[in-house]
Amino acid sequence: QKTIKNAPGSNYAFYNESIREQMFREIHIADRMGSALAAGEFIVYFQPKVSPYTGEIEAAEALVRWKTSEGKMIMPGEFIPVFEKEHLIGRLDQYVFECVCAWQRRLLDEGRMVLPVSVNVSRLQFCNADFVETYAAIKKRYQLPAGLLEIEFTESVLYDNWERLTSIVDELHAAGFTCSIDDFGKGYSSLGMFKNLNVDVLKIDALFFQQLEQEEKDQLLVNSIIQLVRQFGVKTVAEGIETQKQVDMLKEMHCDFIQGYVYYKPLPQKGYERLLLQSSPQTVKEIMEACAI
Ligand code: C2E
Ligand code: CA
Ligand code: CA
């Protein structure tokens, strides 16, 4: 839905109250970011990635939420686009990354099990020449071994400059990170990129699964994507999976991991930690209920 309409024959834009409100809101959000960061209002949630073959949690994705001082929870869909527009997103991405590193360090120090965690990196980080260096330095500071951290790039990054992405992926590998392509299929996807791009994981967007059960064409498409990238040694994650039937179909297609409400919603750190410590279905249910947002 367009917010500004040019009426035929007129040369002025139609501007209404809701646009004004939206603008105020955006300015307010952007203004508050620095103080919110300092006040620890950004909170990292973790959504497990599960093997559909064993039902075990294999890894997680870090997803940010903003809990304001008034106790209101703001979802990333509301503030990430504003931070991107204002070029503030790099600081937040880095903050989330550092929270994840600190957490993994603590678990290692406590002798606990540590599974890989992926973090989102906005495409604007590509403008930052020190991006890999900065992330590698943080990882090194926390002395985290290779294989525990994954960087998720959105597909739209590719169209900006995918030669640069190729070299960034190589540098990240050298620094002990794994790399994934996020939201595959949401934009102008091309399987051709796998010829040159050395990524480890492909995250297939939820869009492909909405009609998976009914639409044979979607099944053919998803199956072909998975089979093709597997031959390049790329693992697959199916995103936004909500039903057991979808899980069963994806298992037949040899999809490696499932990330979706069918297994777990994103959980706060404490809830995720508790989940990793135990395995009784009853306790899992209780944790999920306690963490429901
Ligand atoms: P994403 O990276 O594609 O993350 C997956 C989103 O899908 C999450 O939304 C997750 O809660 C939601 N989801 C997972 N499983 C299901 C399901 O079965 N059904 C449905 N309906 N939704 C599911 P969330 O947490 O609201 O995040 C939205 C987007 O915000 C993320 O999409 C990501 O693009 C962005 N984002 C989140 N955290 C960060 C961050 O730290 N940095 C950056 N740059 N972006 C972030
Ligand atoms: Ca992601
Ligand atoms: Ca995604």
Side-chain angles (χ1 to χ4, degrees):
Q1 193 192 332
K2 292 236 162 43
T3 44
I4 295 183
K5 284 184 190 152
N6 283 305
S10 72
N11 58 359
Y12 59 89
F14 187 74
Y15 172 85
N16 67 25
E17 201 52 36
S18 76
I19 301 175
R20 197 208 307 264
E21 270 168 28
Q22 175 71 15
M23 276 171 61
F24 275 129
R25 207 176 151 76
E26 290 190 2
I27 290 165
H28 187 59
I29 285 178
D31 269 358
R32 285 185 49 193
M33 188 212 185
S35 56
L37 260 181
E41 292 183 15
F42 292 101
I43 298 174
V44 183
Y45 272 53
F46 294 84
Q47 186 176 32
K49 296 176 198 168
V50 177
S51 158
Y53 310 98
T54 63
E56 303 262 333
I57 299 172
E58 304 278 349
E61 173 175 6
L63 294 160
V64 73
R65 273 97 184 86
W66 184 354
K67 197 171 178 191
T68 66
S69 49
E70 305 92 59
K72 194 177 157 228
M73 189 76 98
I74 313 180
M75 298 303 277
E78 231 178 292
F79 58 86
I80 300 261
V82 182
F83 290 173
E84 282 188 335
K85 214 154 92 184
E86 305 293 328
H87 295 246
L88 296 166
I89 189 68
R91 270 176 76 196
L92 181 64
D93 282 351
Q94 211 171 298
Y95 174 83
V96 170
F97 174 64
E98 186 145 2
C99 288
V100 170
C101 290
W103 178 63
Q104 289 187 328
R105 181 70 258 160
R106 177 167 65 72
L107 292 189
L108 285 171
D109 289 344
E110 291 172 0
R112 309 253 300 270
M113 177 175 68
V114 184
L115 295 175
V117 175
S118 59
V119 293
N120 290 284
V121 162
S122 160
R123 63 204 181 103
L124 289 173
Q125 296 273 25
F126 274 63
C127 311
N128 173 3
D130 309 325
F131 159 67
V132 177
E133 215 178 294
T134 310
Y135 274 56
I138 296 171
K139 175 175 169 288
K140 200 169 166 205
R141 178 146 49 82
Y142 287 94
Q143 298 185 318
L144 292 166
L148 287 185
L149 293 161
E150 182 173 309
I151 306 289
E152 294 195 9
F153 296 105
T154 37
E155 195 197 44
S156 53
V157 156
L158 306 173
Y159 308 99
D160 292 90
N161 189 345
W162 74 271
E163 267 166 28
R164 174 154 162 74
L165 182 63
T166 308
S167 65
I168 284 183
V169 167
D170 291 343
E171 287 169 38
L172 284 168
H173 280 159
F177 291 89
T178 54
C179 298
S180 54
I181 295 296
D182 198 5
D183 299 341
F184 183 81
K186 217 168 159 182
Y188 307 92
S189 318
S190 152
L191 285 166
M193 70 189 183
F194 287 98
K195 198 176 142 213
N196 298 311
L197 193 60
N198 204 9
V199 289
D200 310 277
V201 179
L202 180 68
K203 300 192 74 180
I204 307 172
D205 192 73
L207 203 80
F208 279 107
F209 309 113
Q210 279 161 7
Q211 262 139 33
L212 190 72
E213 293 171 30
Q214 311 86 301
E215 281 289 337
E216 203 184 335
K217 281 187 179 162
D218 283 340
Q219 293 162 21
L220 288 169
L221 214 53
V222 171
N223 193 42
S224 308
I225 294 168
I226 294 174
Q227 303 326 315
L228 183 110
V229 303
R230 277 184 82 207
Q231 294 178 60
F232 287 116
V234 175
K235 299 255 187 233
T236 46
V237 178
E239 293 193 282
I241 302 304
E242 296 186 355
T243 71
Q244 186 56 44
K245 178 97 188 286
Q246 291 170 320
V247 173
D248 293 339
M249 296 175 99
L250 287 160
K251 262 163 89 168
E252 263 181 45
M253 297 176 192
H254 301 103
C255 177
D256 296 289
F257 306 107
I258 305 282
Q259 185 182 341
Y261 296 173
V262 68
Y263 288 114
Y264 303 101
K265 287 191 171 174
L267 299 151
Q269 185 178 296
K270 273 229 168 64
Y272 182 52
E273 248 180 64
R274 281 171 54 204
L275 202 58
L276 294 179
L277 277 177
Q278 53 65 57
S279 53
S280 120
Q282 186 50 37
T283 345
V284 170
K285 196 167 164 273
E286 280 162 21
I287 293 172
M288 292 298 290
E289 279 164 7
C291 294
I293 48 159

